[in-house]
Coordinates of all heavy atoms in Angstrom, one line a residue:
M234 N -18.8 10.7 -21.8 CA -17.5 10.8 -22.5 C -16.5 9.8 -21.9 O -16.5 9.6 -20.7 CB -17.0 12.2 -22.2 CG -17.9 13.3 -22.7 SD -17.4 15.0 -22.3 CE -16.2 15.3 -23.6
L235 N -15.8 9.2 -22.8 CA -14.8 8.1 -22.3 C -13.4 8.6 -22.4 O -13.0 9.3 -23.3 CB -15.0 6.9 -23.2 CG -16.3 6.1 -23.1 CD1 -16.3 5.0 -24.2 CD2 -16.3 5.4 -21.8
Y236 N -12.6 8.2 -21.4 CA -11.2 8.6 -21.3 C -10.4 7.3 -20.8 O -10.9 6.6 -19.9 CB -11.0 9.6 -20.2 CG -11.8 10.9 -20.5 CD1 -13.1 11.0 -20.0 CD2 -11.2 12.0 -21.1 CE1 -13.8 12.2 -20.2 CE2 -11.9 13.1 -21.4 CZ -13.2 13.2 -20.9 OH -13.9 14.4 -21.1
A237 N -9.3 7.1 -21.5 CA -8.3 6.2 -20.9 C -7.3 7.0 -20.1 O -6.9 8.1 -20.5 CB -7.5 5.5 -22.0
V238 N -7.1 6.6 -18.9 CA -6.2 7.3 -18.0 C -5.1 6.3 -17.5 O -5.4 5.2 -17.0 CB -7.0 7.9 -16.8 CG1 -6.0 8.6 -15.8 CG2 -8.1 8.8 -17.2
R239 N -3.9 6.7 -17.6 CA -2.8 6.0 -17.1 C -2.3 6.7 -15.8 O -2.1 7.9 -15.8 CB -1.6 5.9 -18.1 CG -0.4 5.1 -17.5 CD 0.7 4.9 -18.5 NE 1.8 4.3 -17.8 CZ 2.7 3.4 -18.2 NH1 2.5 3.0 -19.5 NH2 3.7 3.0 -17.5
M240 N -2.1 5.9 -14.7 CA -1.7 6.4 -13.5 C -0.4 5.7 -13.1 O -0.4 4.5 -13.0 CB -2.7 6.2 -12.4 CG -4.0 6.9 -12.7 SD -5.2 6.5 -11.3 CE -6.8 6.7 -12.3
D241 N 0.7 6.4 -12.9 CA 2.0 5.8 -12.5 C 2.2 6.3 -11.1 O 2.3 7.6 -10.8 CB 3.1 6.3 -13.4 CG 3.0 5.8 -14.8 OD1 2.9 4.5 -15.0 OD2 2.9 6.6 -15.7
V242 N 2.2 5.4 -10.1 CA 2.3 5.8 -8.7 C 3.8 5.7 -8.3 O 4.5 4.8 -8.6 CB 1.5 4.8 -7.8 CG1 1.5 5.3 -6.4 CG2 0.1 4.7 -8.4
D243 N 4.2 6.8 -7.5 CA 5.6 6.8 -7.0 C 5.5 7.4 -5.6 O 5.6 8.6 -5.4 CB 6.5 7.7 -7.9 CG 7.9 7.6 -7.5 OD1 8.3 6.8 -6.6 OD2 8.7 8.5 -8.0
I244 N 5.3 6.5 -4.6 CA 5.2 7.0 -3.2 C 6.6 7.1 -2.6 O 7.4 6.2 -2.7 CB 4.3 6.0 -2.4 CG1 2.9 5.9 -2.9 CG2 4.3 6.4 -0.9 CD1 2.1 4.8 -2.3
P245 N 6.9 8.3 -2.0 CA 8.2 8.5 -1.5 C 8.6 7.4 -0.4 O 7.7 7.1 0.4 CB 8.2 9.9 -0.8 CG 7.0 10.5 -1.4 CD 6.0 9.5 -1.8
R246 N 9.8 6.9 -0.5 CA 10.2 5.8 0.4 C 10.2 6.3 1.8 O 10.1 5.5 2.8 CB 11.6 5.3 0.0 CG 11.6 4.6 -1.3 CD 13.0 4.1 -1.7 NE 13.1 3.6 -3.0 CZ 12.7 2.4 -3.3 NH1 12.3 1.5 -2.4 NH2 12.8 2.0 -4.6
D247 N 10.4 7.6 2.1 CA 10.5 8.1 3.5 C 9.1 8.5 4.0 O 9.0 9.0 5.1 CB 11.5 9.2 3.6 CG 11.1 10.4 2.7 OD1 10.1 10.3 2.0 OD2 11.7 11.5 2.8
L248 N 8.0 8.2 3.3 CA 6.7 8.5 3.8 C 6.4 7.6 5.0 O 6.7 6.4 4.9 CB 5.6 8.4 2.7 CG 4.2 8.8 3.1 CD1 4.1 10.3 3.4 CD2 3.2 8.4 2.1
D249 N 5.8 8.2 6.1 CA 5.5 7.4 7.3 C 4.7 6.2 6.8 O 3.6 6.3 6.1 CB 4.7 8.3 8.2 CG 4.2 7.5 9.4 OD1 5.0 6.9 10.1 OD2 2.9 7.4 9.5
P250 N 5.0 4.9 7.2 CA 4.3 3.7 6.8 C 2.8 3.8 7.1 O 2.0 3.3 6.3 CB 5.0 2.6 7.5 CG 6.4 3.1 7.8 CD 6.2 4.6 8.0
A251 N 2.5 4.3 8.3 CA 1.0 4.4 8.7 C 0.3 5.3 7.7 O -0.8 5.1 7.3 CB 0.9 4.8 10.1
A252 N 0.9 6.5 7.4 CA 0.3 7.4 6.5 C 0.2 6.8 5.1 O -0.8 7.0 4.4 CB 1.1 8.7 6.4
R253 N 1.2 6.0 4.7 CA 1.2 5.4 3.4 C 0.0 4.4 3.4 O -0.8 4.4 2.4 CB 2.5 4.6 3.2 CG 2.6 3.8 1.9 CD 3.9 3.0 1.9 NE 4.1 2.3 0.7 CZ 3.5 1.1 0.4 NH1 2.7 0.5 1.3 NH2 3.7 0.6 -0.8
D254 N -0.1 3.5 4.4 CA -1.2 2.5 4.4 C -2.6 3.2 4.4 O -3.5 2.7 3.8 CB -1.0 1.6 5.6 CG 0.2 0.7 5.5 OD1 0.8 0.7 4.4 OD2 0.6 0.1 6.5
E255 N -2.7 4.2 5.2 CA -4.0 4.9 5.3 C -4.4 5.6 4.0 O -5.5 5.5 3.5 CB -3.9 6.0 6.4 CG -5.2 6.7 6.8 CD -5.4 8.0 6.1 OE1 -4.4 8.5 5.5 OE2 -6.6 8.4 6.0
T256 N -3.4 6.1 3.3 CA -3.7 6.8 2.0 C -4.1 5.7 0.9 O -5.0 5.9 0.2 CB -2.4 7.5 1.5 OG1 -2.0 8.5 2.5 CG2 -2.7 8.3 0.2
I257 N -3.4 4.6 0.9 CA -3.7 3.5 0.0 C -5.1 3.0 0.3 O -5.9 2.7 -0.6 CB -2.7 2.4 0.0 CG1 -1.3 2.9 -0.6 CG2 -3.1 1.1 -0.7 CD1 -0.2 2.0 -0.4
A258 N -5.5 2.8 1.6 CA -6.8 2.4 1.9 C -7.9 3.4 1.5 O -9.0 2.9 1.0 CB -6.9 2.1 3.5
R259 N -7.6 4.7 1.7 CA -8.6 5.7 1.2 C -8.7 5.7 -0.3 O -9.8 5.8 -0.9 CB -8.2 7.1 1.7 CG -8.5 7.3 3.1 CD -8.4 8.8 3.5 NE -7.1 9.3 3.4 CZ -6.7 10.3 2.6 NH1 -7.5 10.9 1.8 NH2 -5.4 10.7 2.6
E260 N -7.6 5.4 -1.0 CA -7.6 5.4 -2.5 C -8.5 4.2 -2.9 O -9.3 4.3 -3.9 CB -6.2 5.2 -3.0 CG -6.0 5.0 -4.5 CD -5.9 6.3 -5.2 OE1 -5.7 7.4 -4.6 OE2 -6.1 6.3 -6.4
K261 N -8.3 3.0 -2.3 CA -9.1 1.9 -2.7 C -10.6 2.1 -2.5 O -11.4 1.8 -3.4 CB -8.6 0.7 -1.8 CG -9.4 -0.6 -2.2 CD -8.7 -1.8 -1.5 CE -9.4 -3.1 -1.9 NZ -8.7 -4.3 -1.3
A262 N -11.0 2.7 -1.3 CA -12.4 2.9 -1.1 C -13.0 3.9 -2.1 O -14.1 3.8 -2.6 CB -12.6 3.5 0.4
Y263 N -12.2 5.0 -2.3 CA -12.6 6.0 -3.3 C -12.8 5.4 -4.7 O -13.8 5.6 -5.4 CB -11.6 7.1 -3.3 CG -11.8 8.3 -4.2 CD1 -12.7 9.3 -4.0 CD2 -11.0 8.4 -5.4 CE1 -12.9 10.4 -4.8 CE2 -11.2 9.5 -6.2 CZ -12.1 10.5 -5.9 OH -12.3 11.5 -6.8
S264 N -11.8 4.6 -5.1 CA -11.9 4.0 -6.4 C -13.1 3.0 -6.5 O -13.8 3.0 -7.5 CB -10.6 3.2 -6.7 OG -10.7 2.4 -7.8
Q265 N -13.3 2.2 -5.5 CA -14.4 1.3 -5.5 C -15.7 1.9 -5.5 O -16.7 1.5 -6.2 CB -14.2 0.2 -4.4 CG -13.0 -0.7 -4.7 CD -12.8 -1.8 -3.7 OE1 -13.3 -1.8 -2.6 NE2 -12.1 -2.8 -4.1
Q266 N -15.8 3.1 -4.8 CA -17.1 3.8 -4.8 C -17.4 4.3 -6.3 O -18.5 4.2 -6.7 CB -16.9 5.0 -3.9 CG -18.1 6.0 -3.8 CD -17.8 7.2 -3.0 OE1 -16.8 7.3 -2.3 NE2 -18.5 8.2 -3.2
L267 N -16.4 4.8 -7.0 CA -16.6 5.3 -8.3 C -16.8 4.1 -9.3 O -17.5 4.3 -10.3 CB -15.4 6.1 -8.8 CG -15.3 7.5 -8.0 CD1 -13.9 8.1 -8.1 CD2 -16.3 8.4 -8.6
Q268 N -16.2 3.0 -9.0 CA -16.5 1.8 -9.9 C -17.9 1.4 -9.7 O -18.6 1.0 -10.7 CB -15.5 0.6 -9.5 CG -14.1 0.9 -9.9 CD -13.2 -0.2 -9.5 OE1 -13.3 -1.4 -9.8 NE2 -12.2 0.2 -8.6
R269 N -18.4 1.4 -8.5 CA -19.9 1.0 -8.2 C -20.8 2.0 -8.9 O -21.8 1.6 -9.4 CB -20.1 1.0 -6.7 CG -19.6 -0.3 -6.1 CD -20.0 -0.4 -4.6 NE -19.1 -1.3 -3.9 CZ -18.1 -0.9 -3.2 NH1 -17.9 0.4 -2.9 NH2 -17.3 -1.8 -2.6
S270 N -20.4 3.3 -9.0 CA -21.3 4.3 -9.6 C -21.3 4.2 -11.1 O -22.1 4.8 -11.8 CB -20.9 5.7 -9.1 OG -19.8 6.1 -9.8
G271 N -20.2 3.5 -11.7 CA -20.1 3.4 -13.1 C -19.2 4.4 -13.7 O -18.8 4.2 -14.9
E272 N -18.7 5.4 -13.0 CA -17.9 6.4 -13.6 C -16.5 5.9 -13.9 O -15.8 6.3 -14.8 CB -17.8 7.6 -12.7 CG -19.1 8.5 -12.8 CD -19.0 9.8 -12.1 OE1 -18.6 9.8 -10.8 OE2 -19.2 10.8 -12.7
W273 N -16.0 5.0 -13.0 CA -14.7 4.3 -13.2 C -15.0 2.9 -13.8 O -15.2 2.0 -13.0 CB -14.0 4.2 -11.8 CG -12.5 4.0 -11.9 CD1 -11.8 3.2 -12.8 CD2 -11.5 4.5 -11.0 NE1 -10.5 3.2 -12.5 CE2 -10.2 4.0 -11.5 CE3 -11.5 5.4 -9.9 CZ2 -9.0 4.3 -10.8 CZ3 -10.3 5.7 -9.3 CH2 -9.1 5.1 -9.7
A274 N -15.0 2.9 -15.1 CA -15.6 1.7 -15.8 C -14.7 0.5 -15.7 O -15.1 -0.6 -15.7 CB -16.0 2.1 -17.2
H275 N -13.4 0.7 -15.8 CA -12.4 -0.4 -15.8 C -11.1 0.1 -15.1 O -10.8 1.3 -15.2 CB -12.0 -0.8 -17.2 CG -13.1 -1.4 -18.0 ND1 -13.4 -2.7 -18.0 CD2 -13.9 -0.8 -18.9 CE1 -14.4 -3.0 -18.8 NE2 -14.8 -1.8 -19.4
I276 N -10.5 -0.9 -14.5 CA -9.1 -0.6 -13.9 C -8.3 -1.8 -14.1 O -8.7 -2.9 -13.8 CB -9.1 -0.1 -12.5 CG1 -7.7 0.1 -12.0 CG2 -9.9 -1.1 -11.5 CD1 -7.6 0.9 -10.7
W277 N -7.1 -1.7 -14.8 CA -6.2 -2.8 -15.0 C -4.8 -2.4 -14.5 O -4.3 -1.3 -14.7 CB -6.1 -3.0 -16.6 CG -7.4 -3.5 -17.1 CD1 -8.4 -2.8 -17.7 CD2 -7.9 -4.9 -17.2 NE1 -9.4 -3.6 -18.1 CE2 -9.2 -4.9 -17.8 CE3 -7.4 -6.1 -16.7 CZ2 -9.9 -6.0 -17.9 CZ3 -8.1 -7.2 -16.9 CH2 -9.4 -7.2 -17.5
R278 N -4.2 -3.4 -13.9 CA -2.8 -3.2 -13.5 C -1.9 -3.4 -14.7 O -2.2 -4.3 -15.5 CB -2.5 -4.3 -12.4 CG -1.0 -4.3 -11.9 CD -0.7 -3.0 -11.2 NE -1.2 -2.9 -9.8 CZ -1.5 -1.7 -9.3 NH1 -1.5 -0.6 -10.0 NH2 -2.0 -1.7 -8.0
I279 N -1.0 -2.5 -14.9 CA 0.1 -2.7 -15.9 C 1.1 -3.7 -15.3 O 1.7 -3.4 -14.2 CB 0.8 -1.4 -16.3 CG1 -0.3 -0.5 -16.9 CG2 1.9 -1.7 -17.3 CD1 0.2 0.9 -17.2
A280 N 1.2 -4.9 -15.9 CA 2.0 -6.0 -15.3 C 3.4 -5.5 -15.0 O 4.1 -4.9 -15.9 CB 2.0 -7.2 -16.2
G281 N 3.8 -5.7 -13.8 CA 5.2 -5.4 -13.4 C 5.5 -4.0 -13.0 O 6.6 -3.7 -12.7
Q282 N 4.4 -3.2 -12.9 CA 4.7 -1.8 -12.6 C 3.6 -1.4 -11.6 O 2.5 -1.9 -11.5 CB 4.5 -0.9 -13.8 CG 5.5 -1.2 -14.9 CD 5.4 -0.3 -16.1 OE1 5.1 0.9 -16.0 NE2 5.6 -0.8 -17.3
Y283 N 3.9 -0.3 -10.7 CA 3.0 0.2 -9.8 C 2.2 1.3 -10.6 O 2.3 2.5 -10.4 CB 3.6 0.8 -8.6 CG 2.7 1.2 -7.4 CD1 3.2 1.6 -6.2 CD2 1.3 1.0 -7.5 CE1 2.3 1.9 -5.2 CE2 0.4 1.2 -6.5 CZ 1.0 1.7 -5.3 OH 0.1 2.0 -4.3
S284 N 1.4 0.8 -11.6 CA 0.7 1.7 -12.6 C -0.6 1.0 -12.9 O -0.7 -0.3 -12.9 CB 1.6 1.9 -13.8 OG 2.8 2.4 -13.6
N285 N -1.5 1.8 -13.3 CA -2.8 1.2 -13.9 C -3.2 2.0 -15.1 O -2.8 3.1 -15.4 CB -3.9 1.2 -12.8 CG -4.5 2.6 -12.6 OD1 -5.2 3.1 -13.4 ND2 -4.1 3.2 -11.4
I286 N -4.0 1.3 -15.9 CA -4.7 1.9 -17.0 C -6.2 1.8 -16.7 O -6.7 0.6 -16.4 CB -4.4 1.3 -18.4 CG1 -2.9 1.8 -18.8 CG2 -5.4 1.8 -19.4 CD1 -2.5 1.3 -20.1
S287 N -6.9 2.9 -16.6 CA -8.3 2.9 -16.3 C -9.1 3.5 -17.4 O -8.6 4.4 -18.2 CB -8.5 3.7 -15.0 OG -7.9 3.0 -13.9
I288 N -10.4 3.1 -17.5 CA -11.3 3.8 -18.4 C -12.4 4.5 -17.5 O -13.0 3.8 -16.6 CB -12.0 2.7 -19.3 CG1 -11.0 1.9 -20.1 CG2 -13.1 3.4 -20.2 CD1 -10.2 2.7 -21.1
F289 N -12.6 5.8 -17.7 CA -13.6 6.6 -17.1 C -14.7 6.9 -18.0 O -14.4 7.2 -19.2 CB -13.0 7.8 -16.5 CG -12.1 7.6 -15.3 CD1 -10.7 7.3 -15.4 CD2 -12.6 7.6 -14.0 CE1 -9.9 7.0 -14.3 CE2 -11.8 7.4 -12.9 CZ -10.5 7.1 -13.1
D290 N -15.9 6.8 -17.5 CA -17.1 7.2 -18.3 C -17.8 8.3 -17.5 O -18.6 8.0 -16.6 CB -18.0 6.0 -18.5 CG -19.2 6.2 -19.4 OD1 -19.3 7.3 -19.9 OD2 -19.9 5.2 -19.6
V291 N -17.5 9.5 -17.9 CA -18.0 10.7 -17.1 C -18.6 11.7 -18.0 O -18.5 11.7 -19.2 CB -16.8 11.3 -16.3 CG1 -16.3 10.4 -15.3 CG2 -15.7 11.7 -17.2
E292 N -19.3 12.7 -17.4 CA -20.2 13.6 -18.2 C -19.4 14.7 -18.8 O -19.8 15.4 -19.8 CB -21.3 14.1 -17.3 CG -20.8 15.0 -16.2 CD -21.9 15.6 -15.3 OE1 -23.0 15.1 -15.4 OE2 -21.6 16.5 -14.5
S293 N -18.2 15.0 -18.3 CA -17.4 16.2 -18.8 C -15.9 16.1 -18.4 O -15.5 15.3 -17.5 CB -18.0 17.4 -18.2 OG -17.8 17.4 -16.8
H294 N -15.1 16.9 -19.1 CA -13.7 17.1 -18.7 C -13.6 17.5 -17.3 O -12.8 17.1 -16.5 CB -13.0 18.2 -19.6 CG -13.0 17.9 -21.0 ND1 -13.0 16.7 -21.6 CD2 -13.0 18.8 -22.1 CE1 -12.9 16.8 -22.9 NE2 -12.9 18.1 -23.2
E295 N -14.5 18.4 -16.9 CA -14.5 18.9 -15.5 C -14.7 17.8 -14.5 O -14.1 17.8 -13.4 CB -15.5 20.1 -15.3 CG -15.2 21.3 -16.1 CD -15.4 21.3 -17.6 OE1 -16.1 20.3 -18.1 OE2 -14.9 22.2 -18.3
R296 N -15.7 16.9 -14.8 CA -15.9 15.8 -13.8 C -14.7 14.9 -13.7 O -14.3 14.5 -12.6 CB -17.2 15.1 -14.3 CG -17.5 13.8 -13.4 CD -17.7 14.2 -11.9 NE -18.0 13.0 -11.2 CZ -17.6 12.8 -9.9 NH1 -17.0 13.8 -9.2 NH2 -17.9 11.7 -9.3
L297 N -14.1 14.6 -14.9 CA -12.9 13.8 -14.8 C -11.8 14.5 -14.0 O -11.2 13.8 -13.2 CB -12.4 13.5 -16.2 CG -11.1 12.6 -16.2 CD1 -11.4 11.2 -15.8 CD2 -10.4 12.6 -17.6
H298 N -11.6 15.8 -14.2 CA -10.6 16.5 -13.5 C -10.9 16.4 -12.0 O -10.0 16.2 -11.2 CB -10.6 17.9 -13.9 CG -9.5 18.7 -13.2 ND1 -8.2 18.7 -13.5 CD2 -9.6 19.6 -12.1 CE1 -7.5 19.4 -12.7 NE2 -8.4 20.0 -11.8
E299 N -12.2 16.6 -11.6 CA -12.5 16.5 -10.2 C -12.2 15.2 -9.6 O -11.6 15.1 -8.5 CB -14.0 16.8 -10.1 CG -14.6 16.8 -8.6 CD -16.1 17.0 -8.6 OE1 -16.8 16.5 -9.5 OE2 -16.5 17.7 -7.7
I300 N -12.6 14.1 -10.3 CA -12.3 12.7 -9.8 C -10.8 12.6 -9.6 O -10.3 12.1 -8.6 CB -12.8 11.7 -10.8 CG1 -14.3 11.6 -10.7 CG2 -12.2 10.3 -10.5 CD1 -15.0 10.8 -11.8
L301 N -10.0 12.9 -10.6 CA -8.5 12.7 -10.5 C -7.9 13.6 -9.5 O -7.0 13.1 -8.7 CB -7.9 12.9 -11.9 CG -8.4 12.0 -13.0 CD1 -7.7 12.4 -14.4 CD2 -8.1 10.6 -12.7
W302 N -8.3 14.8 -9.4 CA -7.7 15.8 -8.4 C -7.9 15.3 -7.0 O -7.1 15.6 -6.1 CB -8.4 17.1 -8.7 CG -7.8 18.2 -7.9 CD1 -8.3 18.8 -6.7 CD2 -6.6 19.0 -8.2 NE1 -7.4 19.8 -6.3 CE2 -6.4 19.9 -7.2 CE3 -5.6 18.8 -9.2 CZ2 -5.3 20.8 -7.2 CZ3 -4.6 19.7 -9.2 CH2 -4.4 20.7 -8.3
N303 N -9.1 14.6 -6.8 CA -9.4 14.1 -5.4 C -8.9 12.7 -5.1 O -9.2 12.2 -4.0 CB -10.9 14.2 -5.2 CG -11.3 15.6 -5.0 OD1 -10.9 16.3 -4.1 ND2 -12.2 16.1 -6.0
L304 N -8.1 12.1 -6.0 CA -7.5 10.8 -5.7 C -6.6 11.0 -4.5 O -5.7 11.8 -4.5 CB -6.7 10.3 -6.8 CG -7.5 9.8 -8.1 CD1 -6.5 9.6 -9.2 CD2 -8.1 8.4 -7.8
P305 N -6.8 10.2 -3.4 CA -5.8 10.3 -2.3 C -4.4 10.1 -2.7 O -3.5 10.8 -2.1 CB -6.3 9.2 -1.3 CG -7.8 9.1 -1.6 CD -7.9 9.3 -3.1
L306 N -4.1 9.3 -3.7 CA -2.7 9.2 -4.1 C -2.3 10.2 -5.2 O -1.1 10.1 -5.7 CB -2.5 7.8 -4.7 CG -2.4 6.6 -3.7 CD1 -2.3 5.3 -4.4 CD2 -1.2 6.8 -2.8
F307 N -3.2 11.1 -5.5 CA -2.8 12.1 -6.6 C -1.5 12.8 -6.4 O -0.7 13.0 -7.3 CB -4.0 13.1 -6.7 CG -3.8 14.0 -7.9 CD1 -4.1 13.7 -9.2 CD2 -3.2 15.3 -7.7 CE1 -3.9 14.5 -10.3 CE2 -3.0 16.2 -8.8 CZ -3.4 15.8 -10.1
P308 N -1.1 13.2 -5.1 CA 0.2 13.9 -5.0 C 1.4 13.0 -5.3 O 2.5 13.5 -5.5 CB 0.2 14.2 -3.5 CG -1.2 14.1 -3.0 CD -1.9 13.1 -3.9
Y309 N 1.1 11.7 -5.4 CA 2.2 10.7 -5.7 C 2.1 10.1 -7.0 O 2.6 9.0 -7.3 CB 2.3 9.7 -4.6 CG 2.2 10.2 -3.2 CD1 1.2 9.9 -2.3 CD2 3.1 11.2 -2.7 CE1 1.1 10.4 -1.0 CE2 3.1 11.7 -1.5 CZ 2.0 11.3 -0.6 OH 1.9 11.9 0.6
M310 N 1.4 10.7 -7.9 CA 1.1 10.1 -9.2 C 1.5 11.0 -10.4 O 1.3 12.2 -10.3 CB -0.4 9.9 -9.4 CG -1.0 8.7 -8.8 SD -2.8 8.7 -9.2 CE -3.3 7.2 -8.3
A311 N 1.9 10.3 -11.5 CA 1.9 11.0 -12.8 C 0.7 10.5 -13.5 O 0.4 9.2 -13.5 CB 3.2 10.7 -13.5
V312 N -0.1 11.4 -14.1 CA -1.4 11.0 -14.7 C -1.4 11.4 -16.1 O -1.1 12.6 -16.5 CB -2.6 11.7 -13.9 CG1 -3.9 11.3 -14.6 CG2 -2.6 11.3 -12.5
E313 N -1.8 10.5 -17.0 CA -1.9 10.8 -18.4 C -3.3 10.5 -18.9 O -3.7 9.4 -18.7 CB -0.9 10.0 -19.2 CG -0.8 10.3 -20.7 CD 0.2 9.3 -21.4 OE1 1.4 9.6 -21.3 OE2 -0.3 8.4 -22.0
V314 N -4.0 11.5 -19.5 CA -5.3 11.4 -19.9 C -5.4 11.3 -21.4 O -4.8 12.2 -22.1 CB -6.2 12.5 -19.4 CG1 -7.6 12.4 -19.9 CG2 -6.2 12.5 -17.9
T315 N -6.2 10.3 -21.9 CA -6.4 10.2 -23.4 C -7.9 10.2 -23.7 O -8.6 9.2 -23.3 CB -5.7 8.9 -24.0 OG1 -4.4 8.9 -23.6 CG2 -5.9 8.8 -25.5
P316 N -8.5 11.2 -24.3 CA -9.9 11.2 -24.6 C -10.1 10.1 -25.7 O -9.3 10.0 -26.6 CB -10.2 12.6 -25.2 CG -9.0 13.4 -24.9 CD -7.8 12.5 -24.7
L317 N -11.2 9.4 -25.6 CA -11.5 8.3 -26.6 C -12.7 8.7 -27.4 O -13.7 9.2 -26.9 CB -11.8 7.0 -25.8 CG -10.7 6.5 -24.9 CD1 -11.2 5.3 -24.2 CD2 -9.4 6.2 -25.7
A318 N -12.6 8.4 -28.7 CA -13.7 8.6 -29.7 C -14.1 7.2 -30.2 O -13.2 6.3 -30.2 CB -13.3 9.5 -30.8
T319 N -15.3 7.1 -30.8 CA -15.7 5.8 -31.4 C -14.8 5.5 -32.6 O -14.6 6.4 -33.4 CB -17.2 5.9 -31.8 OG1 -17.9 6.2 -30.6 CG2 -17.7 4.6 -32.3
H320 N -14.4 4.3 -32.7 CA -13.6 3.9 -33.9 C -14.6 3.5 -35.0 O -15.5 2.7 -34.7 CB -12.7 2.7 -33.5 CG -11.6 2.5 -34.5 ND1 -11.9 1.9 -35.8 CD2 -10.3 2.7 -34.5 CE1 -10.8 1.8 -36.5 NE2 -9.8 2.3 -35.7
P321 N -14.3 3.9 -36.2 CA -15.2 3.6 -37.3 C -15.3 2.1 -37.6 O -16.3 1.7 -38.2 CB -14.6 4.4 -38.5 CG -13.2 4.7 -38.1 CD -13.2 4.8 -36.6
S322 N -14.3 1.3 -37.2 CA -14.4 -0.1 -37.5 C -15.0 -0.9 -36.4 O -15.1 -2.1 -36.5 CB -13.0 -0.6 -37.8 OG -12.4 0.0 -38.9
A323 N -15.3 -0.2 -35.3 CA -15.9 -0.9 -34.1 C -17.2 -1.5 -34.5 O -18.0 -0.9 -35.2 CB -16.0 0.0 -33.0
I324 N -17.5 -2.8 -34.0 CA -18.8 -3.4 -34.2 C -19.4 -3.7 -32.9 O -18.8 -3.6 -31.8 CB -18.7 -4.7 -35.0 CG1 -17.7 -5.7 -34.3 CG2 -18.2 -4.4 -36.5 CD1 -17.7 -7.0 -35.0
Ligands
MUC254 O1 -2.9 1.0 -7.3 C1 -3.0 1.8 -8.2 O2 -2.9 1.6 -9.4 C2 -3.3 3.3 -7.8 C3 -4.7 3.5 -7.4 C4 -5.8 3.4 -8.3 C5 -6.8 2.8 -7.7 C6 -6.4 2.3 -6.5 O3 -7.0 1.7 -5.7 O4 -5.1 2.6 -6.3

């Protein structure tokens, strides 16, 4: 099942800088592990924003929820999920 997911990150300015850096490093490792496994199929930066649009290829809604819920930056994100279906004009 394919999903487009938009993540808008908003880390509080008063978060301890070491905690901030450590969380971002964990987020990167977690994301890259899922990219290697194929579940996180694409990640694109939205130009000019601390946001990304990602494509996930996962077996179920529950698996997508588990992945997103466990993002280290999840507490500092707004997440919008769009399920994708095959377009009839796609070749
Ligand atoms: O930077 C972001 O867009 C947020 C997040 C998603 C993957 C990652 O490494 O960081």
Side-chain angles (χ1 to χ4, degrees):
M234 303 174 81
L235 289 171
Y236 302 86
V238 178
R239 176 174 174 144
M240 304 176 203
D241 297 303
V242 184
D243 186 13
I244 300 174
R246 290 179 189 279
D247 61 355
L248 186 66
D249 172 61
R253 177 186 185 280
D254 292 350
E255 189 266 342
T256 305
I257 291 171
R259 283 194 296 117
E260 177 86 13
K261 182 173 184 174
Y263 179 74
S264 168
Q265 291 185 337
Q266 176 190 343
L267 290 161
Q268 289 176 61
R269 286 188 199 97
S270 79
E272 288 188 301
W273 197 323
H275 294 274
I276 180 168
W277 294 95
R278 177 64 78 214
I279 299 176
Q282 299 180 37
Y283 194 177
S284 304
N285 74 73
I286 290 181
S287 293
I288 303 294
F289 287 86
D290 186 358
V291 294
E292 66 181 12
S293 64
H294 299 331
E295 289 75 17
R296 176 60 182 149
L297 180 67
H298 181 78
E299 179 181 39
I300 288 171
L301 298 176
W302 188 258
N303 286 299
L304 288 166
L306 283 174
F307 187 80
Y309 312 121
M310 278 181 180
V312 178
E313 181 183 283
V314 175
T315 305
L317 300 176
T319 303
H320 194 286
S322 300
I324 55 172

